[in-house]
Amino acid sequence: MKLAILSRAPNAYSTQRLKTAALERGHEAKVLDTLRFAIDLSGDDPDLQYRGRTLSDYDAVLPRIGASITYYGSAVVRQFQQMDVYTPNTANGITSSRDKLRAIQILSRHDVGMPATAFVRDRKDVLPAIERVGGAPVVIKLLEGTQGIGVILAPDTKVAEAIIETLQSTRQNVLIQQFVAESRGTDVRALVVGDRVVAAMRRTAQGDEFRSNVHRGGSVEAVDLDDEFTSTAVASAQIMGLRVAGVDMLEGEDGPMVMEVNSSPGLEGIERATRLDVAGSIIDFIDNQVAFPELDVRQRLNVSTSYGVAELLVREDADLVGHTIESSRLRERDITILTLHRDHTVIPNPRNNRVLEAGDRLLCFGKLEEMRNMIPDRSQRRRKLKRLSIKAMDQAASEG
Ligand SMILES: Nc1ncnc2c1ncn2[C@@H]1O[C@H](COP(=O)(O)OP(=O)(O)O)[C@@H](O)[C@H]1O
Ligand SMILES: [Mg+2]
C-alpha cells in the first residue's frame, strides 16, 4: 500500500518507527507535514494540494495530529475521508477525543467506567458540582490540556473554588472531577489497535506528584491487563471512532475508570516499556483495512427525506415481544434492523430467527413514518407550526 503519515515532526521517535515499520514491510510510506496541505473544494470532486501540487493517490493515511493544530489537522483528515482514503482515526474521532468534556459525554452514553465529572459555568453552580462529584479533594482540568499540564488537584473546596474562578476569569473552560485516590499516582495506558490491546503499561508518578504523565517525570513498566481493562480500552477507542488510540485508565476500586482517549499516542514510552513492535502492528492493521474507507453512515443513508436511522425500543407491551425478527414483519414495513442492543451486548446484523425481547433496542434504517409509532413517547408529539401574533413580537421587542 501507499501510506501517508501526517506529522509535523518527521524526526520524532513515533514518526520514525511508523515509517520504518511500513518500509520494512514493503509498503511505500511518506511523512507529510499536516500544515502544508491545502484543502481544495473548487472542482467537482474533493481534492488536496500538498506543497502547491495536486496530491498523488494514497491508499491510506495515518494522522498524527498534535493538540495545537487540531482544527486544521482534522480538516485535512476529513478531506482524505471525503476522497475515500482509509484512515484508522476519523476527523470526528480526533476532535471528539481531544476535548476531555466531549469525550466523556460520548463515553457516558455507554457502559464505560469513568470518574464522576461535572462541567459548570455559573459561580453559583461550582459548589454543588464539587459536592456531586464526591467533595474535595477534587481534580480540576482544562478541557484541552495534554502531558499533565492543566490538571490540578485541589485539596479543599475553598481552593477548588478559587482555582475554578481564576481559570474561568481568563476564559478557560474547566472540568471538575472526582479524585480517584485509590489509584495512588498510577494509571494504565493501553495501546489499542483495531479491536485489540497490543501493548499496555502502568505509569507511576514521581514522588508526591499525582499525575503519572511521562512528561511529569512518571516512570513506566509493562503490565498485563485483565479482561475488564482490555475490553474497556477497546470499547472506549471504538466508541470514539479511533482504531489507533492510547486509552488512559485509573485503577479504581470498582475496576477501570477511563480518563481520556488519545488519538496520537506516543510510541516511545510504550515500546521501551514492553519491547513490543507497536508501530509494526499499527501498519499491519492499516494494511488489512485499506479496502474499507470510513463512511459517514448517517450522511450516506439520508438518501431520501422519508428514510432515516432511528433507535426503536421494544416495549414490554409491544406486539413484537416473543416474535422472531422474521415474524415481526418489520421488513414488510420497510424497516431493516442494523444492530440489536440487549443489556450490555450488541448484536450486529441480527438473524431472522432471533427472538425479540422486551427492552431490546433496535438500531434501524427505514421509513420514518413507519418507525414513528415505535419510538418512545417524547418524539411522537406532532409539532404544528403555530401562527405568531404581532402582539407577542411587539412584547418581546419592548422587553429586549
Ligand atoms: N480524576 C483523577 N483522579 C486521580 N488522578 C487523576 C485524575 N485525573 C487525572 N489524574 C492523573 O493526572 C494525569 C493527567 O490527566 P489526564 O486527564 O490524562 O490529562 P493529560 O491530557 O494532561 O494527560 C493522569 O495520567 C493521572 O495520573
Ligand atoms: Mg493523559
Side-chain angles (χ1 to χ4, degrees):
M1 66 170 163
K2 187 168 165 190
L3 172 72
I5 300 169
L6 301 189
S7 171
R8 302 220 62 215
N11 299 320
Y13 177 96
S14 304
T15 323
Q16 281 295 323
R17 285 280 303 124
L18 288 162
K19 183 174 177 185
T20 310
L23 296 177
E24 273 172 8
R25 285 162 171 75
H27 302 301
E28 203 182 318
K30 288 230 165 63
V31 177
L32 304 180
D33 180 348
T34 319
L35 295 187
R36 293 302 313 270
F37 282 95
I39 293 169
D40 185 356
L41 302 164
S42 59
D44 286 343
D45 294 320
D47 216 342
L48 273 169
Q49 253 92 49
Y50 184 66
R51 291 183 183 274
R53 298 169 56 181
T54 300
L55 186 73
S56 56
D57 282 337
Y58 280 88
D59 300 304
V61 59
L62 174 56
R64 308 272 314 168
I65 309 292
S68 59
I69 59 156
T70 303
Y71 190 83
Y72 201 82
S74 57
V76 171
V77 175
R78 191 174 302 112
Q79 192 72 358
F80 273 108
Q81 286 174 240
Q82 298 295 327
M83 294 160 65
D84 287 338
V85 178
Y86 176 77
T87 174
N89 291 352
T90 59
N92 274 343
I94 295 167
T95 42
S96 316
S97 58
R98 187 119 309 148
D99 177 323
K100 289 181 170 39
L101 174 68
R102 208 201 282 192
I104 291 179
Q105 285 180 309
I106 293 172
L107 292 176
S108 70
R109 189 77 177 66
H110 301 263
D111 188 31
V112 171
M114 284 177 299
T117 305
F119 184 58
V120 297
R121 182 59 175 273
D122 197 292
R123 277 178 72 162
K124 292 192 281 297
D125 297 322
V126 169
L127 253 179
I130 294 175
E131 293 307 320
R132 266 203 310 281
V133 304
V138 286
V139 175
I140 295 162
K141 289 188 189 182
L142 294 181
L143 290 200
E144 300 213 0
T146 53
Q147 308 182 341
I149 301 163
V151 178
I152 308 164
L153 180 59
D156 61 62
T157 316
K158 276 268 154 301
V159 176
E161 275 188 304
I163 294 170
I164 293 165
E165 218 169 291
T166 308
L167 291 171
Q168 286 189 338
S169 73
T170 61
R171 294 180 181 277
Q172 308 249 37
N173 281 317
V174 293
L175 285 183
I176 303 170
Q177 194 168 73
Q178 164 201 6
F179 174 52
V180 182
E182 67 262 27
S183 76
R184 286 186 208 82
T186 69
D187 71 356
V188 168
R189 155 69 61 98
L191 215 303
V192 176
V193 178
D195 56 6
R196 293 198 303 142
V197 170
V198 297
M201 62 179 175
R202 180 176 286 121
R203 304 183 296 190
T204 305
Q206 196 180 38
D208 53 10
E209 172 65 63
F210 81 105
R211 296 166 298 179
S212 55
N213 301 66
V214 177
H215 286 94
R216 304 269 73 74
S219 58
V220 297
E221 55 178 333
V223 60
D224 269 331
L225 294 189
D226 66 15
D227 288 349
E228 203 187 2
F229 275 79
T230 304
S231 58
T232 299
V234 172
S236 304
Q238 184 86 16
I239 293 164
M240 298 307 301
L242 302 173
R243 301 289 170 270
V244 174
V247 181
D248 293 349
M249 296 169 283
L250 292 167
E251 295 166 279
E253 269 159 4
D254 301 320
M257 298 176 107
V258 176
M259 285 178 297
E260 61 166 351
V261 184
N262 294 277
S263 61
S264 301
L267 301 186
E268 185 164 9
I270 200 144
E271 286 197 335
R272 284 197 199 283
T274 62
R275 313 292 301 276
L276 291 169
D277 182 7
V278 176
S281 64
I282 294 174
I283 298 299
D284 286 339
F285 174 76
I286 296 174
D287 186 28
N288 256 312
Q289 299 291 312
V290 158
F292 302 106
E294 200 66 41
L295 302 175
D296 185 332
V297 177
R298 228 174 210 283
Q299 201 182 325
R300 301 271 177 123
L301 288 184
N302 277 335
V303 283
S304 126
T305 47
S306 52
Y307 281 81
V309 182
E311 186 170 66
L312 310 181
L313 176 69
V314 179
R315 271 175 283 191
E316 236 157 286
D317 56 354
D319 304 336
L320 294 176
V321 178
H323 272 284
T324 63
I325 290 178
E326 182 152 39
S327 67
S328 72
R329 317 188 70 168
L330 286 172
R331 196 64 205 81
E332 283 157 50
R333 290 162 66 185
D334 224 355
I335 299 173
T336 305
I337 304 177
L338 306 172
T339 61
L340 187 160
H341 289 244
R342 179 172 293 167
D343 300 324
H344 298 306
T345 57
V346 184
I347 303 158
N349 263 344
R351 307 231 171 226
N352 268 337
N353 58 4
R354 181 165 291 274
V355 179
L356 296 174
E357 294 177 8
D360 284 352
R361 282 177 296 127
L362 314 174
L363 183 70
C364 297
F365 175 69
K367 251 208 167 90
L368 293 171
E369 216 33 62
E370 288 290 341
M371 297 194 288
R372 193 178 299 282
N373 316 325
M374 298 179 60
I375 28 192
D377 289 340
R378 152 167 71 96
S379 337
Q380 266 182 16
R381 255 182 275 139
R382 256 201 185 284
R383 285 179 208 85
K384 237 194 184 159
L385 212 54
K386 284 195 194 121
R387 272 194 116 54
L388 191 58
S389 71
I390 304 278
K391 202 174 136 200
M393 289 187 269
D394 287 347
Q395 197 176 343
S398 68
E399 276 168 16

